[in-house]
Amino acid sequence: MKNFIMAIDGPAGSGKSTIAKILAEKNNLTYLDTGAMYRMVALYFFENNVDLDNDLEVKLNLKQIQMDIEKDRFILNGRDVSKEIRTPRVSGLVSFVARIKVVREKLVELQREISKGKNVVLDGRDIGTVVFPDASLKIFLVASPEERAKRRMKEYEEKGVEENFEAVLANIKERDMIDSTRKESPLKKAEDAIEIDTSFMTIEEVTNEISRLVKEKVGE
């Protein structure tokens, strides 16, 4: 297997990151967390009070950002921000940052560069449609808003973050609307993507199903 690209797309809370990490280990692939990359930009913009409607200000601040990913650690300008990028405040801002054209262009460029010559799995909202339209295998994960909100609540609880379920659910629905209607690279299923509804599936069931698809694709 050489230069195998797996694209996993889907809305917030559909299980993309969790599934992608497990699949990377099971299939000897490199995992690239593209969502975390956008979260790092969102965190930097938040901490530096960047006006998202000011194109020049966004461009200038984007040049000040250096990011690195070391296994499960996310480094922003030399600082480990692994916990900060998963907070509700960043979750509420990331969709607004991700719809900015210059931000998307910069991160898509980075994602393609990092993936060159590797067997990788990437998750996001436009991996199979924009970043890697010729990906070896495209998966589109879906789940009900309520189920995705429950998953987010569990994540917050595990991190010791207190949050209201209704607020999390409202954020999930708002992100769905923003992501699917934005002008730049909106969330949508690629025509050749395989859709999997994870609402009533365990993580193991989902990863086993996708691993089966990987073996089929490699066999071709």
Side-chain angles (χ1 to χ4, degrees):
M1 183 167 63
K2 187 177 181 180
N3 203 25
F4 182 89
I5 306 291
M6 188 196 311
I8 302 181
D9 290 308
S14 56
K16 302 185 299 295
S17 297
T18 300
I19 299 300
K21 288 178 185 177
I22 297 173
L23 287 169
E25 292 184 7
K26 289 185 68 172
N27 298 279
N28 196 28
L29 304 171
T30 296
Y31 171 55
L32 181 56
D33 190 339
T34 64
M37 295 172 73
Y38 283 100
R39 284 174 173 271
M40 283 192 273
V41 174
L43 177 63
Y44 181 88
F45 284 1
F46 174 82
E47 292 182 337
N48 290 274
N49 299 308
V50 177
D51 182 356
L52 302 185
D53 295 318
N54 187 320
D55 291 342
L56 179 58
E57 189 173 335
V58 168
K59 289 180 181 178
L60 290 174
N61 277 274
L62 198 56
K63 291 180 180 179
Q64 304 303 313
I65 296 176
Q66 290 186 327
M67 59 178 70
D68 194 11
I69 301 175
E70 301 174 357
K71 293 187 177 180
D72 291 329
R73 296 174 65 240
F74 301 95
I75 314 300
L76 175 63
N77 292 346
R79 168 180 149 221
D80 187 338
V81 294
S82 304
K83 291 184 178 180
E84 287 94 324
I85 63 173
R86 303 298 180 186
T87 58
R89 71 179 184 186
V90 173
S91 294
L93 181 63
V94 67
S95 287
F96 294 95
V97 170
R99 67 183 182 182
I100 301 173
K101 184 177 181 179
V102 66
V103 172
R104 298 204 69 82
E105 289 176 343
K106 178 63 178 178
L107 293 194
V108 167
E109 179 185 328
L110 279 174
Q111 290 155 18
R112 288 173 176 164
E113 185 64 31
I114 294 171
S115 301
K116 277 185 179 178
K118 299 177 183 176
N119 298 320
V120 301
V121 53
L122 307 90
D123 68 286
R125 287 164 179 73
D126 64 345
I127 307 300
T129 55
V130 176
V131 184
F132 286 107
D134 296 322
S136 311
L137 176 62
K138 299 178 186 179
I139 303 295
F140 194 80
L141 299 180
V142 297
S144 69
E146 289 75 17
E147 178 60 31
R148 288 183 281 137
K150 289 178 184 177
R151 294 172 184 173
R152 275 292 152 84
M153 285 293 293
K154 185 177 180 181
E155 289 178 10
Y156 289 146
E157 288 172 4
E158 291 174 348
K159 292 180 172 66
V161 177
E162 291 188 11
E163 192 55 69
N164 176 270
F165 176 79
E166 293 303 326
V168 172
L169 178 60
N171 176 254
I172 288 282
K173 291 180 177 179
E174 180 182 36
R175 289 189 66 184
D176 285 352
M177 186 274 293
I178 294 172
D179 292 342
S180 60
T181 61
R182 69 189 181 204
K183 183 178 180 180
E184 300 299 329
S185 305
L187 165 68
K188 65 178 181 180
K189 176 186 172 184
E191 291 184 3
D192 54 345
I194 299 171
E195 182 173 314
I196 300 175
D197 189 336
T198 68
S199 296
F200 303 104
M201 296 176 71
T202 64
I203 292 175
E204 184 178 13
E205 288 173 337
V206 177
T207 53
N208 285 343
E209 173 61 17
I210 299 178
S211 290
R212 181 185 65 79
L213 294 171
V214 170
K215 291 178 181 178
E216 286 183 0
K217 186 61 65 173
V218 173
E220 293 176 2

